Amino acid sequence: MTSPSKPPHSPQPAAAEPSSCCGGHAASGDTRIDPVCGMTVRTDAGKPTFEHQGVTYFFCCQGCRTKFAADPQRYLDPKPRQDEPMPEGTIYGCPMCPGQEQVGPGTCKVCGMALEPMGAPSADDGPNPELVDFSHRLRIGAALTLPLFLIAMGPHVGLPIHRWLGARTSQWIELALATPVVLWCGRPFFERGWASIRNRLPNMWTLIAIGVGASYLYSLVATVAPGLFPEVFQSSHGTVGVYFEAAAVIIVLVLLGQVLELKAREKTGSAIRALVDLAPKTARRIAPDGNEASVPLEDVTAGDRLRVRPGEAIPVDGRIVEGRSSVDESMLTGEPLPAEKGEGDTVTAGTLNRTGSFVMVAERIGKETVLAQIIDMVAKAQRSRAPIQGMADRVAAYFVPAVVAAAVVAFVVWSLIGPTPAMAYGFIAAVSILIIACPCALGLATPMSIMVATGRGAQAGVLVKNAEALERLAGVDTLVLDKTGTLTEGRPRLTDMESLGGFDDGELLRLAASLEKASEHALGEAIVAAAQERGLALAAPRDVEAVAGKGVRGQVGTQKVLVGSSRLMKDAAIDCTAAAARVDALADAGKTAMLVAVDGRLAGIIAVSDPIKGSAIAALEELRSRGLDIVMVTGDTARTADAVARKLAISRVHADTLPADKARIIDELKRQGRKVAMAGDGINDAPALATADVGIAMGTGTDVAIESAGITLLKGDLGALVRARRLAEATMSNIRQNLFFAFAYNALGVPIAGGLLYPVFGLLLSPMIAAVAMSLSSLSVVGNALRLRQMSLGGTAGSR
């Protein structure tokens, strides 16, 4: 994330021509500086340019030009812009504790972290304010702690600092250096620790505040009034040992851990920010008089005509009305091959126009675009809560009181049986336990993995509505699939045509398509599309009548035409005996056969089929290898369903099902103890998607289906379903690894901090070493979660 401050190199005007800046009308071979990224650009290299206030600016790529055109002053003004306040009523939430929300900024009552604005980040967001604040405190704290550490630890490495300064003077200098570190640099930690005690929700900050506070207060009293301590605590000089360096170093180390953690958390949002950056900042609008002008994206309204040139990102959702091109939709679908687009085809905001230029009509803008909805869904998913987090929460509820109790026990035991000075040893052990046992790693284990995984899924065309859906998908053992639009393409095509009674194929298709032109049935659309592909001139039908469940009848020119099932022909007293065997054979092959009759006699057979998706066979094989039992449900006939099932090696088929039947089938499977996922794309699939343990909507389907599902596959192919399963399994494995790291770390760290190694090796863990170990435990969890960003999901998206 970059701050909107001065670019690396300010634009430089051309020396030869004062009217030119960043190149202007520069001589061949001259170079200028890109005002956006600071790169050097040759003026004769054909790079993008932009005119602003009579000056020509040169850019290394179209992306930099687009950013500059949207807001030139941002890159020309050397003064950083002031952060704009968030709108009144903005909801803030904790990035690590879903459900902890409030109006306006604050800190989380559970973990003490600073709350952040809810929703998707802006591409122009500045640095995290908490990261800026903690970085400033870290720099000052480190500068004061270094000399403090040298004064305190110098005598242990042969530096006679105490002899030079005097023991008492050294302690007063240590107090002066440690006080701003503890009270100012560490203030946020004490505020969070006090809030946790006040809210009766003990957490990591409770332990840090108690440990550091005890070290500082003990040392403060020892410096100001050493006579209050028993003689066993006092040295021959009348001084009492102090731990200012321990308190200060712990604060600095915790700050360092927080800064590294905040920077790592920013990386978890890189996927969603990449999505935000997909949308250009401007669009080229065509006025009613034909003039074109670049306008800010927020000024575009539905119905505007926009020109999209080669290499430009598509600004809003809409439909092409002029021109053709290939469009790269990989960042939305995970598929690398460009999609060919022409007049009438829809295009999506954020996708990249490759070769041709076209004119489009804006249909959905702003938050209505598919890209905006994806960003919103990913942002919500990253803040959702996985059920497995409940285990960590239950442990944490008892963990902090147990740690405090362990610290008290360690202090008492050391004070009773430890070597001289026993109470000092007991104090060190107690503080070390409080610091090393901070449960920050436990709190980060699940949310960090979820945040990274949902962003990685979005890059691969897998949208996760919430963390629970991801966890459930990893555990399902039965996958129920709708046929049409899920296993098949959902777009029937003409596959067979056989003329009878003296008709030729062209005339047979022309008559059938002319009649079906008045029909809205998908099978009729396939016949019309086939006729149009062949360039047949269709006539306008008259007296068209659709016969429910049987077909359609009407008049084409002077001829009476019927297209439909054998039952329609029987009702019209037309003999279909000659076609019966052929109709049965087509049905057995999974095709829908329709009979055509003209003027009372059978004219031929037309068969339509919905092709199986190319990715279906390989995807189903891998899903089976991952332990999933495949079940197909469809409203189609049993004969057609069985034909598709045979090709896909699906043994369990439910045909002729209504929407309620699909939901009932899933409910029965769940009562058998199965964990069921349902994938579908139609309105009729919505009840089943809602009934399943996790619903998977194919992105090519209806809004109702997508709304009812926990996971959406943008491309709508079964290869994306495989990627979703891999993502879910990898995420849950990552979470379990993180929880193991967190539990194992505390299981080992607390006994060692309490002095377990002292009787054997004479080692007692310093509070400073405990602070280092605590920070490393958090960073190990964060680092492990970030591995998901590089995870290969296989298929076409896996290499991305």
Side-chain angles (χ1 to χ4, degrees):
M1 199 163 32
T2 58
S3 177
S5 57
K6 183 178 179 179
H9 303 280
S10 299
Q12 302 170 4
E17 299 186 32
S19 62
S20 172
C21 181
C22 284
H25 306 287
S28 176
D30 199 0
T31 60
R32 292 295 176 264
I33 300 300
D34 184 327
V36 174
C37 67
M39 291 184 63
T40 301
V41 182
R42 287 181 60 87
T43 58
D44 61 351
K47 294 293 185 178
T49 61
F50 184 81
E51 297 283 341
H52 176 65
Q53 295 182 349
V55 176
T56 302
Y57 295 89
F58 285 79
F59 304 90
C60 67
C61 64
Q62 185 65 38
C64 285
R65 180 192 182 281
T66 301
K67 290 180 180 180
F68 183 84
D71 188 3
Q73 200 59 32
R74 170 181 177 181
Y75 302 100
L76 299 179
D77 187 355
K79 295 181 295 183
R81 300 188 306 180
Q82 298 296 318
D83 292 336
E84 296 182 3
M86 296 300 294
E88 186 176 350
T90 297
I91 302 297
Y92 283 69
C94 177
M96 294 292 109
C97 302
Q100 294 297 316
E101 302 172 5
Q102 68 179 42
V103 177
T107 57
C108 176
K109 294 181 180 180
V110 175
C111 71
M113 284 189 172
L115 302 181
E116 299 175 359
M118 299 285 284
S122 166
D124 295 325
D125 279 351
N128 185 329
E130 188 177 31
L131 175 58
V132 174
D133 180 47
F134 278 15
S135 297
H136 184 52
R137 293 176 190 270
L138 174 61
R139 286 191 292 269
I140 294 176
L144 294 173
T145 300
L146 181 59
L148 167 61
F149 185 80
L150 291 175
I151 292 173
M153 304 304 293
H156 297 284
V157 293
L159 294 177
I161 296 179
H162 288 185
R163 194 172 65 227
W164 296 340
L165 301 175
R168 290 288 293 164
T169 302
S170 296
Q171 287 188 343
W172 283 104
I173 294 175
E174 289 182 41
L175 171 61
L177 291 171
T179 297
V181 176
V182 173
L183 299 186
W184 183 78
C185 297
R187 179 178 175 179
F189 307 153
F190 288 106
E191 290 176 344
R192 295 175 180 184
W194 172 245
S196 69
I197 296 172
R198 187 178 67 246
N199 297 322
R200 298 180 182 179
L201 294 170
N203 53 43
M204 62 176 284
W205 305 112
T206 314
L207 303 181
I208 290 175
I210 293 174
V212 174
S215 298
Y216 178 77
L217 291 176
Y218 171 92
S219 303
L220 176 65
V221 175
T223 301
V224 175
L228 296 178
F229 288 80
E231 290 185 6
V232 70
F233 278 78
Q234 299 179 15
S235 68
S236 58
H237 302 287
T239 60
V240 177
V242 294
Y243 301 98
F244 286 122
E245 83 287 352
V249 169
I250 289 170
I251 291 293
V252 169
L253 288 173
V254 174
L255 279 169
L256 176 61
Q258 287 292 293
V259 168
L260 294 176
E261 182 183 309
L262 287 167
K263 288 183 176 180
R265 272 174 44 205
E266 282 195 339
K267 293 182 180 179
T268 67
S270 61
I272 190 171
R273 291 185 182 278
L275 289 173
V276 172
D277 288 339
L278 287 177
K281 301 297 182 289
T282 63
R284 193 166 187 83
R285 185 165 59 190
I286 303 175
D289 60 5
N291 290 327
E292 299 181 11
S294 181
V295 298
L297 193 61
E298 53 268 23
D299 291 348
V300 176
T301 60
D304 283 350
R305 288 166 55 88
L306 309 174
R307 182 176 299 282
V308 182
R309 295 174 293 189
E312 293 182 339
I314 295 170
V316 296
D317 292 1
R319 191 174 301 275
I320 296 177
V321 294
E322 179 185 321
R324 296 189 62 84
S325 184
S326 60
V327 178
D328 181 356
E329 299 178 326
S330 59
M331 280 302 291
L332 292 179
T333 65
E335 297 297 325
L337 295 177
E340 295 299 322
K341 301 283 185 176
E343 291 184 20
D345 290 334
T346 59
V347 288
T348 305
T351 55
L352 184 64
N353 181 32
R354 283 293 189 194
T355 54
S357 174
F358 59 83
V359 176
M360 62 175 288
V361 172
E363 293 182 344
R364 290 188 296 273
I365 61 174
K367 294 184 177 180
E368 296 178 353
T369 64
V370 171
L371 179 61
Q373 293 172 15
I374 290 171
I375 292 170
D376 184 62
M377 182 180 291
V378 175
K380 289 179 179 177
Q382 289 190 338
R383 295 182 182 275
S384 63
R385 192 180 193 82
I388 196 173
Q389 178 68 23
M391 179 183 68
D393 293 342
R394 289 190 295 271
V395 171
Y398 298 99
F399 184 76
V400 174
V403 169
V404 174
V408 172
V409 170
F411 177 78
V412 172
V413 172
W414 274 95
S415 299
L416 293 176
I417 63 174
T420 304
M423 293 184 68
Y425 278 106
F427 179 78
I428 293 173
V431 171
S432 296
I433 288 176
L434 291 172
I435 299 300
I436 202 170
C438 288
C440 45
L442 192 62
L444 290 169
T446 297
M448 284 298 300
S449 296
I450 293 297
M451 290 177 70
V452 178
T454 50
R456 179 68 185 92
Q459 290 178 321
V462 177
L463 291 187
V464 181
K465 181 178 289 187
N466 53 55
E468 182 177 1
L470 201 60
E471 181 174 340
R472 288 179 180 272
L473 180 59
V476 299
D477 53 31
T478 303
L479 177 62
V480 178
L481 298 170
D482 173 52
K483 181 180 75 69
T484 305
T486 302
L487 292 170
T488 64
E489 294 182 0
R491 295 185 297 274
R493 300 175 187 171
L494 181 68
T495 58
D496 297 84
M497 186 166 52
E498 187 173 328
S499 57
L500 302 169
F503 286 88
D504 62 44
D505 289 352
E507 180 64 10
L508 178 69
L509 181 58
R510 187 189 72 83
L511 291 172
S514 296
L515 182 61
E516 290 286 4
K517 191 167 64 170
S519 169
E520 295 181 353
H521 198 281
L523 299 180
E525 292 177 358
I527 295 173
V528 173
Q532 291 174 340
E533 288 174 2
R534 289 166 170 79
L536 299 178
L538 303 185
R542 293 182 289 113
D543 303 326
V544 178
E545 177 188 358
V547 183
K550 297 180 181 180
V552 61
R553 60 164 60 109
Q555 189 159 334
V556 179
T558 60
Q559 296 171 298
K560 292 183 178 180
V561 182
L562 287 79
V563 180
S565 66
S566 57
R567 288 185 296 172
L568 179 65
M569 302 301 158
K570 184 178 180 181
D571 292 346
I574 296 174
D575 183 14
C576 300
T577 306
R582 181 58 178 157
V583 169
D584 289 342
L586 290 169
D588 289 337
K591 301 174 181 178
T592 301
M594 292 171 284
L595 299 171
V596 181
V598 179
D599 291 334
R601 62 192 180 97
L602 190 63
I605 306 169
I606 291 178
V608 173
S609 176
D610 186 4
I612 293 173
K613 289 182 176 178
S615 62
I617 295 177
L620 291 181
E621 286 179 357
E622 177 159 352
L623 291 170
R624 290 190 191 94
S625 71
R626 291 181 173 270
L628 289 177
D629 185 19
I630 309 297
V631 180
M632 185 173 78
V633 295
T634 178
D636 213 335
T637 64
R639 179 173 278 176
T640 302
D642 289 340
V644 173
R646 283 195 301 272
K647 294 177 182 178
L648 297 174
I650 299 175
S651 58
R652 303 183 61 183
V653 180
H654 297 270
D656 294 312
T657 57
L658 298 174
D661 295 329
K662 294 182 180 181
R664 176 183 52 77
I665 291 168
I666 290 176
D667 196 45
E668 289 176 357
L669 290 170
K670 291 173 65 176
R671 285 201 298 269
Q672 295 171 13
R674 293 176 176 267
K675 302 296 184 183
V676 184
M678 164 70 185
D681 73 329
I683 293 175
N684 62 331
D685 296 323
L689 291 171
T691 303
D693 290 298
V694 56
I696 303 170
M698 313 305 280
T700 52
T702 64
D703 292 339
V704 176
I706 293 173
E707 185 64 29
S708 302
I711 291 176
T712 299
L713 310 179
L714 287 176
K715 184 64 177 177
D717 70 282
L718 293 175
L721 183 53
V722 174
R723 296 198 291 272
R725 174 73 170 189
R726 287 174 177 163
L727 176 69
E729 291 175 340
T731 302
M732 295 313 300
S733 175
N734 192 270
I735 289 174
R736 294 187 186 98
Q737 292 166 4
N738 283 348
L739 290 174
F740 172 79
F741 290 153
F743 283 123
Y745 160 79
N746 284 297
L748 293 173
V750 171
I752 293 174
L756 182 65
L757 301 180
Y758 188 83
V760 180
F761 301 102
L763 296 177
L764 184 61
L765 198 65
S766 162
M768 290 182 290
I769 302 301
V772 172
M774 182 269 292
S775 297
L776 290 177
S777 72
S778 298
L779 293 177
S780 68
V781 166
V782 172
N784 189 52
L786 289 175
R787 289 193 308 112
L788 290 171
R789 297 174 65 210
Q790 309 303 324
M791 171 182 53
S792 173
L793 296 178
T796 54
S799 60
R800 295 177 58 246

Short mmCIF file of all heavy atoms in Angstrom, two decimals, residues 472-513:
data_model
loop_
_atom_site.label_atom_id
_atom_site.label_comp_id
_atom_site.label_asym_id
_atom_site.label_seq_id
_atom_site.Cartn_x
_atom_site.Cartn_y
_atom_site.Cartn_z
N ARG A 472 -16.88 -25.96 6.58
CA ARG A 472 -17.82 -27.04 6.27
C ARG A 472 -17.44 -27.76 4.97
O ARG A 472 -17.57 -28.98 4.87
CB ARG A 472 -19.24 -26.49 6.18
CG ARG A 472 -19.85 -26.09 7.52
CD ARG A 472 -21.25 -25.53 7.32
NE ARG A 472 -21.86 -25.12 8.57
CZ ARG A 472 -22.56 -25.94 9.35
NH1 ARG A 472 -22.73 -27.20 8.99
NH2 ARG A 472 -23.09 -25.50 10.47
N LEU A 473 -16.99 -26.99 3.97
CA LEU A 473 -16.63 -27.60 2.69
C LEU A 473 -15.47 -28.58 2.87
O LEU A 473 -15.41 -29.61 2.19
CB LEU A 473 -16.26 -26.53 1.68
CG LEU A 473 -15.86 -27.03 0.28
CD1 LEU A 473 -16.99 -27.83 -0.36
CD2 LEU A 473 -15.47 -25.86 -0.63
N ALA A 474 -14.54 -28.27 3.76
CA ALA A 474 -13.41 -29.16 3.99
C ALA A 474 -13.86 -30.49 4.59
O ALA A 474 -13.16 -31.50 4.46
CB ALA A 474 -12.39 -28.49 4.90
N GLY A 475 -15.03 -30.49 5.26
CA GLY A 475 -15.47 -31.69 5.96
C GLY A 475 -16.57 -32.48 5.28
O GLY A 475 -16.99 -33.52 5.80
N VAL A 476 -17.07 -32.05 4.11
CA VAL A 476 -18.18 -32.76 3.47
C VAL A 476 -17.69 -34.08 2.89
O VAL A 476 -16.53 -34.22 2.47
CB VAL A 476 -18.85 -31.90 2.36
CG1 VAL A 476 -19.42 -30.63 2.95
CG2 VAL A 476 -17.87 -31.60 1.24
N ASP A 477 -18.58 -35.07 2.86
CA ASP A 477 -18.26 -36.36 2.26
C ASP A 477 -19.19 -36.71 1.10
O ASP A 477 -18.99 -37.72 0.43
CB ASP A 477 -18.31 -37.47 3.31
CG ASP A 477 -19.62 -37.49 4.08
OD1 ASP A 477 -20.67 -37.12 3.52
OD2 ASP A 477 -19.61 -37.87 5.27
N THR A 478 -20.23 -35.90 0.88
CA THR A 478 -21.18 -36.15 -0.20
C THR A 478 -21.41 -34.87 -0.98
O THR A 478 -21.68 -33.82 -0.38
CB THR A 478 -22.52 -36.67 0.35
OG1 THR A 478 -22.28 -37.85 1.13
CG2 THR A 478 -23.48 -37.00 -0.79
N LEU A 479 -21.30 -34.96 -2.30
CA LEU A 479 -21.51 -33.80 -3.16
C LEU A 479 -22.70 -34.07 -4.06
O LEU A 479 -22.70 -35.01 -4.85
CB LEU A 479 -20.27 -33.54 -4.01
CG LEU A 479 -20.37 -32.40 -5.03
CD1 LEU A 479 -20.62 -31.07 -4.34
CD2 LEU A 479 -19.10 -32.33 -5.88
N VAL A 480 -23.74 -33.25 -3.92
CA VAL A 480 -24.94 -33.35 -4.74
C VAL A 480 -24.84 -32.31 -5.85
O VAL A 480 -24.63 -31.12 -5.58
CB VAL A 480 -26.21 -33.13 -3.90
CG1 VAL A 480 -27.45 -33.19 -4.78
CG2 VAL A 480 -26.30 -34.17 -2.80
N LEU A 481 -25.00 -32.75 -7.10
CA LEU A 481 -24.84 -31.87 -8.25
C LEU A 481 -26.12 -31.81 -9.07
O LEU A 481 -26.70 -32.84 -9.40
CB LEU A 481 -23.70 -32.37 -9.15
CG LEU A 481 -22.30 -32.41 -8.53
CD1 LEU A 481 -21.35 -33.14 -9.45
CD2 LEU A 481 -21.80 -31.01 -8.25
N ASP A 482 -26.54 -30.59 -9.38
CA ASP A 482 -27.60 -30.41 -10.36
C ASP A 482 -27.01 -30.73 -11.75
O ASP A 482 -25.80 -30.63 -11.96
CB ASP A 482 -28.09 -28.96 -10.31
CG ASP A 482 -29.08 -28.65 -11.41
OD1 ASP A 482 -30.05 -29.41 -11.55
OD2 ASP A 482 -28.85 -27.67 -12.14
N LYS A 483 -27.86 -31.14 -12.69
CA LYS A 483 -27.35 -31.49 -14.01
C LYS A 483 -27.22 -30.26 -14.91
O LYS A 483 -26.13 -29.88 -15.30
CB LYS A 483 -28.26 -32.52 -14.69
CG LYS A 483 -27.76 -32.94 -16.09
CD LYS A 483 -28.67 -33.95 -16.74
CE LYS A 483 -29.95 -33.32 -17.27
NZ LYS A 483 -29.72 -32.41 -18.44
N THR A 484 -28.34 -29.62 -15.21
CA THR A 484 -28.35 -28.54 -16.19
C THR A 484 -27.64 -27.31 -15.66
O THR A 484 -28.01 -26.77 -14.63
CB THR A 484 -29.79 -28.19 -16.58
OG1 THR A 484 -30.45 -29.37 -17.03
CG2 THR A 484 -29.81 -27.15 -17.68
N GLY A 485 -26.60 -26.87 -16.36
CA GLY A 485 -25.86 -25.68 -15.96
C GLY A 485 -24.75 -25.96 -14.97
O GLY A 485 -23.90 -25.09 -14.74
N THR A 486 -24.74 -27.16 -14.39
CA THR A 486 -23.69 -27.53 -13.45
C THR A 486 -22.79 -28.59 -14.06
O THR A 486 -21.59 -28.39 -14.24
CB THR A 486 -24.29 -28.02 -12.13
OG1 THR A 486 -25.12 -26.99 -11.57
CG2 THR A 486 -23.19 -28.36 -11.13
N LEU A 487 -23.39 -29.73 -14.39
CA LEU A 487 -22.65 -30.77 -15.10
C LEU A 487 -22.65 -30.50 -16.61
O LEU A 487 -21.72 -30.87 -17.31
CB LEU A 487 -23.26 -32.14 -14.81
CG LEU A 487 -23.10 -32.64 -13.37
CD1 LEU A 487 -23.95 -33.88 -13.14
CD2 LEU A 487 -21.65 -32.94 -13.07
N THR A 488 -23.73 -29.88 -17.08
CA THR A 488 -23.82 -29.54 -18.50
C THR A 488 -23.70 -28.03 -18.66
O THR A 488 -23.75 -27.28 -17.69
CB THR A 488 -25.15 -30.02 -19.10
OG1 THR A 488 -26.23 -29.32 -18.47
CG2 THR A 488 -25.32 -31.52 -18.89
N GLU A 489 -23.58 -27.59 -19.90
CA GLU A 489 -23.35 -26.16 -20.15
C GLU A 489 -24.58 -25.31 -19.92
O GLU A 489 -24.48 -24.09 -19.76
CB GLU A 489 -22.84 -25.96 -21.58
CG GLU A 489 -21.46 -26.57 -21.81
CD GLU A 489 -20.94 -26.32 -23.21
OE1 GLU A 489 -21.67 -25.68 -24.00
OE2 GLU A 489 -19.82 -26.76 -23.52
N GLY A 490 -25.77 -25.93 -19.93
CA GLY A 490 -26.99 -25.17 -19.73
C GLY A 490 -27.45 -24.42 -20.96
O GLY A 490 -28.36 -23.60 -20.89
N ARG A 491 -26.81 -24.70 -22.11
CA ARG A 491 -27.17 -24.05 -23.38
C ARG A 491 -27.37 -25.16 -24.43
O ARG A 491 -26.40 -25.57 -25.08
CB ARG A 491 -26.09 -23.07 -23.83
CG ARG A 491 -25.91 -21.88 -22.90
CD ARG A 491 -24.91 -20.89 -23.48
NE ARG A 491 -23.59 -21.48 -23.61
CZ ARG A 491 -22.69 -21.51 -22.64
NH1 ARG A 491 -22.98 -21.00 -21.46
NH2 ARG A 491 -21.50 -22.06 -22.84
N PRO A 492 -28.61 -25.65 -24.59
CA PRO A 492 -28.87 -26.75 -25.54
C PRO A 492 -28.45 -26.38 -26.95
O PRO A 492 -28.54 -25.23 -27.37
CB PRO A 492 -30.38 -26.95 -25.43
CG PRO A 492 -30.76 -26.40 -24.10
CD PRO A 492 -29.83 -25.24 -23.86
N ARG A 493 -28.00 -27.38 -27.70
CA ARG A 493 -27.58 -27.19 -29.08
C ARG A 493 -28.21 -28.27 -29.96
O ARG A 493 -28.45 -29.39 -29.51
CB ARG A 493 -26.06 -27.27 -29.20
CG ARG A 493 -25.31 -26.25 -28.39
CD ARG A 493 -23.82 -26.51 -28.47
NE ARG A 493 -23.06 -25.63 -27.57
CZ ARG A 493 -21.76 -25.78 -27.32
NH1 ARG A 493 -21.09 -26.76 -27.91
NH2 ARG A 493 -21.15 -24.96 -26.49
N LEU A 494 -28.45 -27.91 -31.19
CA LEU A 494 -28.95 -28.88 -32.16
C LEU A 494 -27.84 -29.89 -32.46
O LEU A 494 -26.74 -29.52 -32.84
CB LEU A 494 -29.37 -28.17 -33.44
CG LEU A 494 -29.94 -29.06 -34.55
CD1 LEU A 494 -31.29 -29.63 -34.14
CD2 LEU A 494 -30.08 -28.27 -35.84
N THR A 495 -28.15 -31.20 -32.29
CA THR A 495 -27.14 -32.23 -32.51
C THR A 495 -27.47 -33.17 -33.67
O THR A 495 -26.56 -33.66 -34.34
CB THR A 495 -26.97 -33.07 -31.23
OG1 THR A 495 -28.23 -33.66 -30.89
CG2 THR A 495 -26.46 -32.22 -30.08
N ASP A 496 -28.75 -33.43 -33.89
CA ASP A 496 -29.14 -34.39 -34.93
C ASP A 496 -30.35 -33.86 -35.69
O ASP A 496 -31.22 -33.20 -35.11
CB ASP A 496 -29.49 -35.75 -34.31
CG ASP A 496 -28.32 -36.39 -33.60
OD1 ASP A 496 -28.07 -36.05 -32.42
OD2 ASP A 496 -27.65 -37.22 -34.22
N MET A 497 -30.41 -34.19 -36.98
CA MET A 497 -31.56 -33.82 -37.79
C MET A 497 -31.73 -34.88 -38.88
O MET A 497 -30.78 -35.22 -39.59
CB MET A 497 -31.34 -32.43 -38.40
CG MET A 497 -32.55 -31.89 -39.15
SD MET A 497 -32.37 -30.11 -39.48
CE MET A 497 -30.76 -30.05 -40.24
N GLU A 498 -32.93 -35.42 -38.96
CA GLU A 498 -33.20 -36.49 -39.92
C GLU A 498 -34.54 -36.21 -40.60
O GLU A 498 -35.59 -36.20 -39.95
CB GLU A 498 -33.24 -37.84 -39.20
CG GLU A 498 -33.36 -39.02 -40.13
CD GLU A 498 -33.22 -40.33 -39.39
OE1 GLU A 498 -32.48 -40.39 -38.38
OE2 GLU A 498 -33.90 -41.30 -39.80
N SER A 499 -34.52 -35.94 -41.91
CA SER A 499 -35.75 -35.60 -42.64
C SER A 499 -36.42 -36.86 -43.16
O SER A 499 -35.77 -37.85 -43.49
CB SER A 499 -35.44 -34.64 -43.78
OG SER A 499 -34.46 -35.21 -44.64
N LEU A 500 -37.76 -36.79 -43.25
CA LEU A 500 -38.57 -37.91 -43.73
C LEU A 500 -39.60 -37.39 -44.73
O LEU A 500 -39.85 -36.17 -44.81
CB LEU A 500 -39.29 -38.59 -42.55
CG LEU A 500 -38.41 -39.14 -41.41
CD1 LEU A 500 -39.28 -39.53 -40.23
CD2 LEU A 500 -37.58 -40.32 -41.89
N GLY A 501 -40.20 -38.28 -45.46
CA GLY A 501 -41.32 -37.91 -46.32
C GLY A 501 -40.99 -36.94 -47.42
O GLY A 501 -41.84 -36.13 -47.80
N GLY A 502 -39.78 -36.96 -47.93
CA GLY A 502 -39.44 -36.13 -49.08
C GLY A 502 -38.93 -34.75 -48.73
O GLY A 502 -38.59 -33.97 -49.63
N PHE A 503 -38.88 -34.37 -47.46
CA PHE A 503 -38.34 -33.06 -47.07
C PHE A 503 -36.82 -33.12 -47.02
O PHE A 503 -36.24 -34.16 -46.67
CB PHE A 503 -38.87 -32.65 -45.69
CG PHE A 503 -40.32 -32.23 -45.68
CD1 PHE A 503 -41.33 -33.17 -45.52
CD2 PHE A 503 -40.66 -30.90 -45.87
CE1 PHE A 503 -42.66 -32.79 -45.51
CE2 PHE A 503 -41.99 -30.51 -45.87
CZ PHE A 503 -42.99 -31.45 -45.70
N ASP A 504 -36.18 -32.00 -47.36
CA ASP A 504 -34.72 -31.96 -47.16
C ASP A 504 -34.43 -31.29 -45.82
O ASP A 504 -35.29 -30.64 -45.20
CB ASP A 504 -34.02 -31.22 -48.30
CG ASP A 504 -34.44 -29.76 -48.42
OD1 ASP A 504 -34.54 -29.07 -47.38
OD2 ASP A 504 -34.68 -29.31 -49.55
N ASP A 505 -33.18 -31.46 -45.33
CA ASP A 505 -32.82 -30.98 -43.99
C ASP A 505 -32.99 -29.47 -43.85
O ASP A 505 -33.45 -28.97 -42.82
CB ASP A 505 -31.37 -31.36 -43.69
CG ASP A 505 -31.21 -32.86 -43.46
OD1 ASP A 505 -32.25 -33.55 -43.38
OD2 ASP A 505 -30.05 -33.32 -43.35
N GLY A 506 -32.61 -28.72 -44.88
CA GLY A 506 -32.70 -27.27 -44.80
C GLY A 506 -34.12 -26.79 -44.64
O GLY A 506 -34.42 -25.91 -43.81
N GLU A 507 -35.06 -27.37 -45.43
CA GLU A 507 -36.46 -26.96 -45.34
C GLU A 507 -37.06 -27.40 -44.01
O GLU A 507 -37.84 -26.67 -43.40
CB GLU A 507 -37.24 -27.58 -46.50
CG GLU A 507 -38.71 -27.23 -46.54
CD GLU A 507 -38.98 -25.73 -46.74
OE1 GLU A 507 -38.00 -24.99 -47.05
OE2 GLU A 507 -40.14 -25.31 -46.60
N LEU A 508 -36.67 -28.61 -43.54
CA LEU A 508 -37.16 -29.09 -42.25
C LEU A 508 -36.76 -28.14 -41.13
O LEU A 508 -37.58 -27.76 -40.29
CB LEU A 508 -36.60 -30.49 -41.99
CG LEU A 508 -36.97 -31.12 -40.64
CD1 LEU A 508 -38.44 -31.47 -40.61
CD2 LEU A 508 -36.13 -32.37 -40.39
N LEU A 509 -35.50 -27.73 -41.12
CA LEU A 509 -35.00 -26.83 -40.07
C LEU A 509 -35.63 -25.46 -40.21
O LEU A 509 -35.97 -24.82 -39.20
CB LEU A 509 -33.48 -26.74 -40.16
CG LEU A 509 -32.80 -25.87 -39.11
CD1 LEU A 509 -33.13 -26.32 -37.70
CD2 LEU A 509 -31.28 -25.86 -39.32
N ARG A 510 -35.83 -24.96 -41.45
CA ARG A 510 -36.42 -23.62 -41.63
C ARG A 510 -37.83 -23.57 -41.07
O ARG A 510 -38.21 -22.62 -40.37
CB ARG A 510 -36.43 -23.26 -43.11
CG ARG A 510 -36.86 -21.82 -43.40
CD ARG A 510 -37.07 -21.57 -44.86
NE ARG A 510 -38.26 -22.24 -45.36
CZ ARG A 510 -39.51 -21.72 -45.25
NH1 ARG A 510 -39.69 -20.54 -44.67
NH2 ARG A 510 -40.54 -22.37 -45.75
N LEU A 511 -38.64 -24.57 -41.36
CA LEU A 511 -40.02 -24.59 -40.89
C LEU A 511 -40.07 -24.70 -39.36
O LEU A 511 -40.84 -23.99 -38.69
CB LEU A 511 -40.78 -25.75 -41.53
CG LEU A 511 -41.05 -25.62 -43.04
CD1 LEU A 511 -41.63 -26.92 -43.58
CD2 LEU A 511 -41.99 -24.45 -43.31
N ALA A 512 -39.26 -25.61 -38.79
CA ALA A 512 -39.26 -25.78 -37.34
C ALA A 512 -38.79 -24.52 -36.63
O ALA A 512 -39.36 -24.08 -35.63
CB ALA A 512 -38.39 -26.97 -36.96
N ALA A 513 -37.72 -23.90 -37.15
CA ALA A 513 -37.18 -22.70 -36.52
C ALA A 513 -38.13 -21.52 -36.66
O ALA A 513 -38.27 -20.70 -35.74
CB ALA A 513 -35.83 -22.36 -37.14
#
